[in-house]
Amino acid sequence: MDLKRKLARLTGVGPGGKPAPRGAPTPPVAPEPRAEGVDTELASGLPAVTHPRAQGVDTDLASGLPVVAGPRVESGSVASPSCPLSVTEQRAEAENAAPLSGLLAVSGPRPNESAPPSGSPSVTESRQPSTEPPRPSDPRVESLRRMLAEWSERQGQTSARRAATPERARPGPLPVAPQDTPHGTVHVSERVLAPDHHHGTAPVAGALDVEGALVARLALHEDLAGVDYQRMLFLDTETTGLAGGTGTVPFLVGLAWFEGRSLRVHQLFLRKLGEEAPMLRVLAERMAASSCLVTFNGKSFDWPLLRTRFVLNRVKTPAELPHLDLLHCARRVFKHRGAGTRLVHMEEHVLGHRRVDDVDGSLIPDLYFRYLRGGDGSALTPVLEHNANDLLLLAALLGELVRRFRAGDGTDVPSGEDPRDLLGFAGVAFRAGDHARARAFAHAATRGSGAVGMEAHALASRLARMAGEPQAAAEHLHQALTAARGVQAATLHLELAKLYEHSLKDLPAALRHARLSAAAEAPEDHQRRLLRIEGRLERSARAHSLDLEARPPRSGA
């Protein structure tokens, strides 16, 4: 229903403000004289002053609503008395004009409209007495009028606010550049670091000075002993999530390799999903020219994910290289720190490098998805910087780990080293079968206090016993007992009982420590140990008594 009909329903009331009954005859309306430039509303007798408009249409200035009226008389002319309107025409004109008469009719001329010329009948004079009583104003019409005025005001305010709002900044450029390759266009960010570049306290080029044998022992991976570390490839990825599987996409593949003693950082960026194939082929070429991969948790995440992407994109998977995962090395060496083995922890606590304004890894997928939805490409600059720092950290951490592991060659361990790290190196060397290096680190770690010192003494005792030095082994165990409590103390007493029984042949000492080791072994084993040592003591005492009796008396006794 349009506005004209709605207003007609709201204003269509009969005499006395009540709706006219259906079927009631419409009283005839006599034609009224019209003043020049003034239309008289036929139903109500009120003047409807018109602005010069198209014939038959008038527009209300306040609301912009059309006011339909009958035939107009052009300005300067008077209605011809020889052409009176018939009753039917008058009634039709009244029905068209009546719905709006109560809402829009005014008692005087409109703005910008000239008054009637002198000599013409005025509005008051030209109005005939109405045959109907005046209609009361409908509150619904007044409410609708207020609503229209408020709506118009709100529209004006909204337009003003939009005009005052500054234009949205255009998205910035991506921090990568397109590069043509035989496999297609890839988007690359590249930099070269000088040979003397340091990441924290460690030189990045220190990774070139590692020895294959030490790396193999540090990683507990003998295949790494014969690797040419001048051609190693550092790898780290940034992905759309950590869930794994086919739904996770590596949108940034960070690579780094040495050219001389300078480190080249080469980052491959996926500008749009579905364009992985050229990027993967460039990665395969670089892997073919490398001797091994160096990653942090790459064995469990980065490489399995990339291998899946090769298969899904129907790109030939490159041959797998020897893989040095520094996460495993860091866990073994720094496990006594208690601060975790996240890459940023290693960077801060081992290398002394603290990142400023670094993007949190959990926010990286969301930043990439915003870019894909048309966001600011320059917002990905912190992501590329985060990835580049991870690559530098891999090189610096490898060189630092090997340098510190090399110091335990059996003679000289720096006294300023953290005892917790020394104990970690001792444990790695012990597992690798390098007992001389392990013993040197364990001796150095005994300077630690609390649990660290206790474990260092226990390991040093074990190594001394393996070296055929039972007395030194017993001394280390006694030192460890000063800091041990509970089950740990019982375990040390058990080791001392074994040592005194089998190596030092001191049965009373063995029995004393055996009685304190009940919590370290099963009750049956503990009882059997006690009975065995007690039995040996009885036999030893009896044998000693018999030996004394068999001896001849001394002369002069």
Side-chain angles (χ1 to χ4, degrees), residues 2 23 39 49 80 132 134 155 270 407 419 423 441 459 471 490 511:
D2 58 13
D39 288 343
V49 181
S80 174
E132 298 181 359
Q155 289 296 105
L270 185 62
L423 179 60
F441 278 118
L459 180 57
Q471 190 61 46
L511 181 61

Side-chain angles (χ1 to χ4, degrees), residues 474 478 496-507 509-510 513:
H478 282 290
L496 280 169
K498 294 177 181 178
L499 190 63
Y500 279 118
E501 180 184 4
H502 302 292
S503 300
L504 296 176
K505 308 300 182 181
D506 189 345
L507 294 178
H513 288 290

Side-chain angles (χ1 to χ4, degrees), residues 507-529:
L507 294 178
L511 181 61
R512 184 171 62 252
H513 288 290
R515 287 172 177 168
L516 297 174
S517 65
E521 57 183 346
E524 299 83 4
D525 295 337
H526 179 65
Q527 190 64 29
R528 191 179 304 113
R529 184 180 305 278

Side-chain angles (χ1 to χ4, degrees), residues 97-112:
L100 300 179
S101 62
L103 178 63
L104 304 174
V106 296
S107 59
R110 298 185 182 184
N112 303 324

